[in-house]
Amino acid sequence: MRLLINFHYSDTWADPGNQTKPLTWNSNNIGVLKDSLIQHTELVLNTLKQADITPEWVQIGNETNNGMLWPEGKASINMANFAQLISSGYQSTKKIFPSTKVIVHVSNGWDNSLFRWLFDGLKNNDASWDIIGLSLYPTAQNWATLNSQCLSNMKDMISRYHKEIMVVEVGMSWDQDSACYLFLNDLITKINSLPNQQGLGIVYWEPQAYNNWKGYTLGAFNNMGNPTQALKAFVTGK
């Protein structure tokens, strides 16, 4: 299987509203945070390498809409610090796996102004990355609109930064599987339409979640523990 390693750099799940530093890094300034990030990233990747496992992609941070490792790496406060953290993760990854591609991941894949703000900030501060990753979590009612906006955003990202695109998170309520199938099938078609095959594909998060698994309802398995028709899009998607 093709492997994506996602570093959250937190003691809990990182997302746009939660980018809390690990407790053991809590008193670190930006210089020490960079060193800590490098050491942790290289430790994990070296462990994989020793087991003869090569990730195809490594993601530096999760849904970093406003940076990570707050407050030092909060992009709206100090974009330069965030850019340094991203570059530190990039360099650590390339040191261990030179051919592995590095992803910077932002949610709300339909929000072009957010993506321009963040990636302009990274570019202007000399950050390095290979792939722009995005999340997209529509409803049965708005998926068509968000897919169209997402396509426009992806085209703009390719034109503006000359980077590949990957949708690294999608999901919809498990009991709206008919709509989810249409959403995924349409999004796959749109990604495949991107110029020069720069749309790399879609990752569903977390398909095996079902009903109300730990309060999460956006999976693609039903109460019998079977996959819903939503996942057929990965077979029939164009």
Side-chain angles (χ1 to χ4, degrees):
M1 297 180 70
R2 305 165 79 182
L3 180 65
L4 187 162
I5 298 297
N6 178 1
F7 287 98
H8 287 233
Y9 303 115
S10 179
D11 290 332
T12 186
W13 191 274
D15 58 37
N18 179 30
Q19 296 288 342
T20 306
K21 289 182 291 186
L23 183 62
T24 55
W25 297 4
N26 195 49
S27 61
N28 294 359
N29 60 31
I30 185 62
V32 180
L33 278 175
K34 286 167 55 180
D35 290 341
S36 299
L37 185 151
I38 289 167
Q39 291 171 16
H40 175 68
T41 304
E42 292 184 4
L43 173 64
V44 172
L45 296 182
N46 267 319
T47 301
L48 291 173
K49 188 174 185 178
Q50 290 166 11
D52 198 28
I53 297 169
T54 300
E56 188 164 349
W57 310 279
V58 165
Q59 186 174 298
I60 303 301
N62 189 73
E63 295 189 326
T64 55
N65 295 28
N66 195 12
M68 61 186 184
L69 294 170
W70 291 349
E72 287 79 5
K74 197 167 191 175
S76 59
I77 295 174
N78 196 321
M79 184 69 76
N81 279 359
F82 176 49
Q84 290 179 51
L85 294 169
I86 291 294
S87 290
S88 295
Y90 180 92
Q91 292 158 10
S92 296
T93 300
K94 298 295 184 177
K95 178 181 176 180
I96 311 302
F97 295 112
S99 63
T100 293
K101 293 184 177 181
V102 174
I103 301 171
V104 174
H105 173 205
V106 181
S107 72
N108 297 342
W110 47 267
D111 189 347
N112 182 247
S113 61
L114 167 64
F115 277 69
R116 281 193 171 205
W117 171 75
L118 190 81
F119 287 103
D120 276 358
L122 290 176
K123 180 180 178 180
N124 293 338
N125 284 280
D126 300 317
S128 299
W129 74 95
D130 301 313
I131 297 171
I132 293 174
L134 59 91
S135 301
L136 197 63
Y137 287 100
T139 67
Q141 291 72 40
N142 68 7
W143 69 262
T145 298
L146 294 192
N147 274 11
S148 294
Q149 293 172 342
C150 184
L151 177 61
S152 296
N153 185 36
M154 292 189 294
K155 287 179 176 178
D156 184 59
M157 292 297 99
I158 291 170
S159 174
R160 194 173 181 87
Y161 307 109
H162 309 290
K163 303 292 185 181
E164 294 176 309
I165 300 290
M166 181 184 290
V167 181
V168 295
E169 287 187 33
V170 295
M172 187 182 291
S173 182
W174 69 275
D175 56 357
Q176 295 179 328
D177 53 320
S178 297
C180 190
Y181 170 81
L182 296 174
F183 153 59
L184 293 173
N185 195 64
D186 180 69
L187 189 58
I188 290 169
T189 300
K190 285 177 165 56
I191 289 173
N192 288 340
S193 75
L194 293 172
N196 302 317
Q197 297 182 318
Q198 288 183 288
L200 301 182
I202 298 176
V203 179
Y204 197 112
W205 201 96
E206 157 57 44
Q208 288 180 278
Y210 60 92
N211 191 1
N212 194 28
W213 177 77
K214 295 188 177 181
Y216 188 77
T217 61
L218 303 182
F221 273 56
N222 61 29
N223 286 330
M224 299 298 293
N226 299 318
T228 70
Q229 66 172 309
L231 294 183
K232 291 181 179 179
F234 290 99
V235 179
T236 61
K238 300 175 182 178

